[in-house]
């Protein structure tokens, strides 16, 4: 049995087969590209969400830091005011003892003078 196939018929079958393979390859690559685009889009969305989350977190931390700085400034002002008022309201122990000693010495001298006046009055 002898099979004869014309050359152009064989070329036509080969071209048809290559056309089908090319078409399927093109469809397959199109689907792969579409899936890659979806994955990149999902990754971009996740990155944007993550970026938004971190931006909000950093903003909150910066706001908290600013409030703490204001609190420290308030504490510093109160402390400086306290330091300015402290000498007006506080007497050191040494100063108090010295002043008390001076007052007691003056009272003793007045008592001595009164006693002397009384003794002179009794002698006359």
């Amino acid at each position: 049995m002898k099979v004869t196939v014309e050359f152009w018929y064989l070329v036509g079958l080969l071209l048809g087969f290559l056309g089908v393979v090319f078409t399927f390859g093109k469809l397959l690559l199109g689907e792969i590209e579409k899936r890659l685009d979806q994955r990149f889009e999902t990754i971009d969305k996740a990155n944007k969400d993550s970026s938004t989350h971190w931006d909000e977190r950093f903003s909150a931390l910066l706001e908290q830091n600013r409030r703490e700085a204001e609190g420290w400034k308030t504490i510093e002002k109160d402390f400086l005011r306290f330091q300015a008022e402290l000498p007006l309201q506080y007497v050191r122990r040494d100063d108090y003892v010295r002043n008390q000693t001076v007052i007691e010495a003056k009272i003793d001298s007045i008592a001595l003078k009164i006693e002397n006046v009384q003794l002179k009055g009794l002698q006359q």
Side-chain angles (χ1 to χ4, degrees), residues 26-36:
K26 189 173 181 181
L27 287 173
L28 181 64
L29 288 176
E31 288 297 318
I32 290 173
E33 186 175 348
K34 193 185 300 182
R35 294 252 172 117
L36 283 175

Side-chain angles (χ1 to χ4, degrees), residues 116-124:
N116 286 337
V117 168
Q118 286 175 346
L119 286 177
K120 283 184 184 177
L122 286 177
Q123 286 177 359
Q124 288 178 8

Side-chain angles (χ1 to χ4, degrees), residues 57-71:
R57 181 72 177 136
F58 288 139
S59 296
L61 287 174
L62 287 174
E63 179 64 26
Q64 180 182 0
N65 190 9
R66 187 187 59 78
R67 285 193 311 260
E68 286 179 4
E70 288 176 2

